[in-house]
Amino acid sequence: MEYYPTSVEHILAELERIDLLIRVQVWRMQHIQSSDNELQGLLISEQEIEELLRQPIGLPRWANIPTPLSSIEVQTALEGMTADIAQRQTGSIQKGIKLRLHELVCHFQLTPLDRDTLLICLAPELDLGYERLYAYLQDDVRKKRPSVDLVLNLLCADFKSKLSARQRFLPTAPLLKHQLLHLFDDSSQQQPPLLSKYLKVDERVVNYLLGNDELDTRLLPYAKYTWPQVKLEDLLLPLEIKERLGLLALEKQIIKTRLIFYFQGTYGVAKHTTAEAFCQELGIGLLTVELERLLSAKLREFETIIALAYREAVLQSAAIYFEGFDALLASDKAAWRLALLHQVQEMQLLTFLAGNTIWEPSNAQSDLTFLRVEFPLLTAAQRVELWTRFIGEQGIAPLQDLANKFRFSGGQIRDAAATARNLACWQDPTQGQITINNLIAACRLQSNRQLSEMARKITPRYKWSDIILPDEQKNTIQELCNYVKYRSLVYDEWGFEKKLSLGKGLNILFAGPPGTGKTMAAEVVAGELELDLYKIDLSAVVSKYIGETEKHLSRIFQEAETSNAILFFDEADALFGKRTEVSDAHDRYANLEVSYLLQRMEEYDGVVILATNFRKNMDEAFVRRLHFTLDFPLPDEKHRRHIWQNLWPDAIPRSAELDLDFMARRFEIPGGNIRNIVLAAAFLAADDGGVVQMCHLVRATRREYQKMGKVLMEGEFGEYMGHL
């Protein structure tokens, strides 16, 4: 059986058939043209007017002019060419040769008239000689593109069939609906009738038919095409999900069904990779569209891009994946969401929608299959496996510690591993060996940076040796650090994850007078765990407008979920204070804020530290939900002496006569005030000899007490009273 070796040869054979139709009409046109009329096409003669009045409605002047071949001979020739093309087309398909015109017809359900219209409009893209032929047949040298009227005259034998064929040029018909063709007006005519409009093949369709598979240029800012390489069996997913996807993939007809997946999960949980793996099982490509980049587009432009994306997926024989679908769930994006879902329901194409939040479609068509797949976070063992996969063997213990501290998704681990390699290359350009410090720094860099918009990042500078507390408090701080270190062991490996639905995070209360070390302890914890510490800015959270505070808190906790950071609420009683009896609307909404905080703290899986100077002001419901409550007492003389000694930097010049024992014994103040006195004394010394003397400490102490609103009698300075 003969066949077409290439897709272009098939198109050229089809154009030969179109050429015969054009030749017949050219013969007829030649019969009525005056060879000596130089103004032909520019002037309407009286004879031509008479002929126009006599001819039947809807038919060209040359419709009934005889040709060298009879109508039967022309029809016979056309049928012979059509049969030969069909036979060769079958032969090519049997040999696995892709005939793009045939696939275009099948994919978009084009009729023979649609196909021939496309060919008539494609001809000038291959040979500019067709422009002159079309101008000749339309009796106007300016009309180089085929009009709807010319196409109908070439393809329709009578007025009745021509009238029926007009329906193929409506916006809802395949040629225009899928933007295979474009209608455009003559610039010299205002609001022309449909028959006067011109037709042009879309540039991407021309490129496709000629063998080019590059994306439509209008899609380049928003979409990318990939041929999947990953397999389902390689994914770190629950076995149940992989098995169900595998069974679906075995049904090869799934490609032709209206199957819609909604992949729900945070960034990096393998939503896109799973879609790739599913497409790999089916042997098709994947076209990914970034919806968030389209949010700024006007609705009409958005609809156009989505339609082009679906057309591209059809041309590429690919499934389509919409990343960031939940960005369209906002109330002000309802029209955009409906426009997308309209395309989703209308196109018979395997579609993936991906987002972070739960979503179910409403008013979905009955013949549409919607499957929501929720992607869980990785277990600690899976995180270790991924770290090993991305960076190689770095020692099991460091990787386990890394997996415990940073509850990353697969995508975040991949990104952090790449960042670690870059950091290692910068530190050691010759070897570039990744260290555990590179990995920790990379994890911090990959943590969500948007939290800094609502909180201030604190770089931990204090270590265990810097904090002076009773042994009981120090031991408690070590316990809560261990809580984070061994969280994966207890919850994942020992099974407590299944026993608890909420309250799997770590909520801590630091309570005590100002200056007793609460903030310092938070820094020590962050430094020990090598996690970022964010101090929540209450001024950016609390709002006088009803509902705004909850909205700000929701955003903080949402961002913190992916930041792997410690949230530090200083002066926490301003937010976590006791609920009051409801006497007016303000009380009701104030209590709602507290109740909302209770709910969010139970749902949050990270570390939250609350610090307050007044524990009695805290709502009891909060205290009940805390894992650790740590009271910071005022330091006794022994601890004050340690504080006085530890606050001095090694480089500062100090007199040997400094009596720190006297300072610790005489002034019962917390560490924060001692720090202020030491710093003030250093500045006084800098302006007075450059060595810290006892006189500087005495003067600084007096000023600190004045700032505190307390009065010191001169006698309290004892033998150092002369330094005042």
Side-chain angles (χ1 to χ4, degrees):
M1 180 183 289
E2 295 188 66
Y3 64 94
Y4 296 112
T6 66
S7 178
V8 173
E9 289 188 36
H10 171 237
I11 292 173
L12 294 176
E14 291 280 19
L15 283 175
E16 286 183 18
R17 180 174 56 81
I18 298 299
D19 283 346
L20 178 57
L21 294 174
I22 294 173
R23 183 181 296 276
V24 168
Q25 309 308 349
V26 168
W27 282 336
R28 289 173 170 166
M29 192 69 175
Q30 288 173 335
H31 182 78
I32 62 172
Q33 295 282 27
S34 300
S35 60
D36 58 346
N37 188 356
E38 296 181 358
L39 299 178
Q40 188 70 41
L42 301 176
L43 176 69
I44 302 176
S45 65
E46 293 183 3
Q47 179 184 355
E48 187 176 354
I49 291 175
E50 289 294 330
E51 291 175 356
L52 287 171
L53 292 172
R54 286 198 302 268
Q55 72 184 50
I57 186 172
L59 292 177
R61 293 165 54 204
W62 35 262
N64 296 318
I65 303 298
T67 64
L69 296 175
S70 66
S71 298
I72 296 177
E73 289 174 317
V74 171
Q75 187 63 30
T76 301
L78 287 172
E79 289 176 356
M81 296 175 75
T82 302
D84 181 62
I85 290 171
Q87 185 180 20
R88 289 171 179 254
Q89 179 177 285
T90 302
S92 298
I93 294 172
Q94 289 177 351
K95 288 184 174 292
I97 298 171
K98 183 178 180 180
L99 300 181
R100 296 191 173 223
L101 178 61
H102 172 70
E103 293 202 350
L104 197 72
V105 169
C106 294
H107 286 323
F108 296 103
Q109 300 177 352
L110 302 183
T111 64
L113 187 137
D114 294 334
R115 176 201 60 204
D116 290 349
T117 299
L118 198 64
L119 287 166
I120 292 170
C121 299
L122 177 67
E125 304 286 346
L126 305 180
D127 188 344
L128 290 178
Y130 284 97
E131 288 190 338
R132 298 177 63 84
L133 288 172
Y134 294 159
Y136 180 74
L137 289 175
Q138 295 177 107
D139 200 16
D140 191 331
V141 294
R142 298 167 300 176
K143 298 181 178 180
K144 297 180 179 181
R145 289 288 175 171
S147 65
V148 174
D149 187 56
L150 176 61
V151 169
L152 294 178
N153 288 335
L154 288 172
L155 300 179
C156 300
D158 51 50
F159 177 66
K160 183 178 179 181
S161 58
K162 184 178 177 181
L163 196 61
S164 175
R166 282 175 61 103
Q167 308 301 314
R168 308 307 298 175
F169 299 97
L170 295 177
T172 54
L175 287 174
L176 298 182
K177 175 183 176 181
H178 301 297
Q179 303 184 57
L180 306 180
L181 290 180
H182 297 292
L183 278 175
F184 63 97
D185 301 340
D186 185 345
S187 58
S188 64
Q189 243 181 322
Q190 290 188 357
Q191 297 182 341
L194 176 63
L195 295 178
S196 294
K197 293 180 184 252
Y198 300 107
L199 293 163
K200 185 186 184 305
V201 186
D202 185 83
E203 195 67 29
R204 175 66 184 100
V205 177
V206 173
N207 293 337
Y208 168 79
L209 291 173
L210 298 182
N212 189 317
D213 283 324
E214 292 185 9
L215 288 186
D216 191 310
T217 54
R218 290 164 289 184
L219 291 176
L220 291 178
Y222 315 107
K224 66 176 180 179
Y225 171 80
T226 54
W227 183 259
Q229 302 295 328
V230 65
K231 297 182 179 179
L232 274 175
E233 60 207 50
D234 298 329
L235 300 180
L236 289 179
L237 288 177
L239 183 60
E240 181 183 13
I241 293 179
K242 290 201 288 188
E243 287 179 348
R244 290 179 180 177
L245 290 174
L247 290 173
L248 282 171
L250 289 176
E251 299 291 334
K252 295 297 182 182
Q253 290 299 315
I254 205 73
I255 305 175
K256 299 180 181 180
T257 63
R258 303 174 72 180
L259 178 61
I260 312 299
F261 282 105
Y262 179 64
F263 284 177
Q264 178 205 332
T266 60
Y267 167 76
V269 292
K271 300 190 295 290
H272 190 271
T273 306
T274 302
E276 285 190 61
F278 190 75
C279 290
Q280 198 273 345
E281 294 287 329
L282 297 173
I284 60 175
L286 183 65
L287 181 72
T288 303
V289 180
E290 298 283 348
L291 287 177
E292 289 189 6
R293 297 185 183 181
L294 269 170
L295 286 181
S296 59
K298 294 183 179 179
L299 181 58
R300 193 65 175 270
E301 181 186 357
F302 180 85
E303 291 173 335
T304 299
I305 294 298
I306 296 300
L308 290 176
Y310 263 106
R311 188 189 69 180
E312 189 67 39
V314 172
L315 295 178
Q316 300 276 9
S317 297
I320 191 165
Y321 182 97
F322 290 105
E323 182 70 68
F325 173 76
D326 48 357
L328 300 182
L329 297 180
S331 57
D332 60 335
K333 291 298 178 182
W336 282 254
R337 182 175 69 253
L338 293 175
L340 173 61
L341 294 178
H342 175 74
Q343 282 286 346
V344 169
Q345 292 184 350
E346 193 169 87
M347 298 296 292
Q348 293 191 5
L349 199 65
L350 176 60
T351 301
F352 300 90
L353 307 174
N356 296 343
T357 57
I358 297 175
W359 175 76
E360 288 285 338
S362 58
N363 300 323
Q365 296 181 11
S366 58
D367 59 340
L368 184 147
T369 303
F370 177 86
L371 302 176
R372 184 169 66 87
V373 182
E374 186 173 354
F375 286 74
L377 293 175
L378 297 173
T379 64
Q382 289 173 327
R383 292 196 292 273
V384 170
E385 182 179 341
L386 274 182
W387 277 115
T388 305
R389 188 182 298 181
F390 284 120
I391 65 172
E393 293 289 344
Q394 296 289 321
I396 298 300
L399 291 184
Q400 285 180 337
D401 187 49
L402 207 64
N404 286 337
K405 290 177 182 176
F406 298 95
R407 297 167 67 85
F408 277 175
S409 63
Q412 289 175 306
I413 292 174
R414 177 199 59 214
D415 296 343
T419 302
R421 280 192 293 271
N422 297 336
L423 293 174
C425 181
W426 173 247
Q427 291 180 357
D428 185 3
T430 57
Q431 299 293 329
Q433 183 66 31
I434 299 175
T435 66
I436 188 63
N437 290 333
N438 295 142
L439 292 172
I440 292 173
C443 289
R444 285 180 166 178
L445 289 171
Q446 287 300 326
S447 293
N448 199 320
R449 301 173 185 85
Q450 295 183 20
L451 192 59
S452 60
E453 298 177 8
M454 298 159 288
R456 180 170 63 88
K457 182 179 178 181
I458 298 177
T459 301
R461 301 187 184 278
Y462 296 113
K463 304 184 184 302
W464 284 108
S465 58
D466 296 317
I467 190 167
I468 308 300
L469 286 173
D471 291 341
E472 181 180 353
Q473 277 76 5
K474 273 195 170 184
N475 292 337
T476 304
I477 294 175
Q478 185 61 62
E479 284 181 27
L480 64 89
C481 289
N482 292 337
Y483 192 105
V484 177
K485 289 180 181 179
Y486 303 112
R487 179 171 53 185
S488 295
L489 174 65
V490 173
Y491 283 129
D492 295 339
E493 296 184 31
W494 291 357
F496 273 92
E497 174 79 22
K498 299 176 182 178
K499 295 291 184 180
L500 301 173
S501 59
L502 295 174
K504 289 176 284 190
L506 179 59
N507 300 322
I508 309 160
L509 175 65
F510 289 168
T516 50
K518 299 184 292 297
T519 301
M520 180 184 285
E523 290 191 39
V524 170
V525 171
E528 173 73 10
L529 297 175
E530 296 178 302
L531 296 175
D532 287 332
L533 178 66
Y534 280 90
K535 184 176 181 180
I536 306 303
D537 183 2
L538 294 184
S539 65
V541 174
V542 179
S543 174
K544 65 180 181 180
Y545 298 106
I546 292 173
E548 286 297 307
T549 300
E550 291 90 332
K551 190 180 297 184
H552 295 160
L553 287 168
S554 175
R555 188 178 172 199
I556 286 175
F557 280 104
Q558 185 176 349
E559 298 297 343
E561 289 285 355
T562 56
S563 70
N564 290 276
I566 297 174
L567 295 182
F568 180 54
F569 290 86
D570 200 6
E571 307 294 342
D573 46 299
L575 273 177
F576 300 78
K578 290 182 178 180
R579 284 169 286 189
T580 60
E581 294 184 6
V582 177
S583 60
D584 57 24
H586 294 286
D587 292 337
R588 183 184 304 112
Y589 284 108
N591 288 346
L592 282 176
E593 290 179 7
V594 176
S595 300
Y596 177 77
L597 274 167
L598 287 169
Q599 172 192 331
R600 287 299 302 181
M601 284 186 64
E602 279 198 321
E603 295 173 352
Y604 182 57
D605 285 342
V607 180
V608 178
I609 299 178
L610 312 177
T612 180
N613 299 334
F614 305 100
R615 178 174 177 175
K616 63 181 181 179
N617 290 347
M618 297 291 292
D619 192 287
E620 288 301 320
F622 278 115
V623 177
R624 190 173 63 252
R625 287 166 171 79
L626 296 171
H627 297 86
F628 290 92
T629 300
L630 190 59
D631 289 313
F632 286 72
L634 288 170
D636 57 20
E637 181 181 342
K638 174 184 175 183
H639 289 108
R640 287 197 301 273
R641 180 63 178 81
H642 285 308
I643 295 172
W644 278 107
Q645 183 65 42
N646 286 0
L647 281 173
W648 299 103
D650 294 335
I652 189 169
R654 287 180 292 165
S655 170
E657 297 179 357
L658 287 182
D659 192 349
L660 299 183
D661 290 329
F662 170 81
M663 299 298 293
R665 180 177 64 255
R666 183 61 60 91
F667 302 108
E668 298 180 3
I669 52 178
N673 298 109
I674 296 174
R675 178 198 59 205
N676 294 341
I677 293 172
V678 168
L679 187 61
F683 277 101
L684 290 172
D687 188 49
D688 183 25
V691 178
V692 179
Q693 305 284 346
M694 194 63 190
C695 62
H696 302 136
L697 278 183
V698 170
R699 288 161 59 190
T701 302
R702 184 175 186 179
R703 291 179 184 174
E704 182 67 17
Y705 267 80
Q706 289 174 344
K707 186 179 69 176
M708 295 165 59
K710 298 181 180 180
V711 178
L712 278 176
M713 304 302 293
E714 291 183 357
E716 295 187 51
F717 289 99
E719 64 266 33
Y720 300 106
M721 185 176 62
H723 294 303
L724 290 175

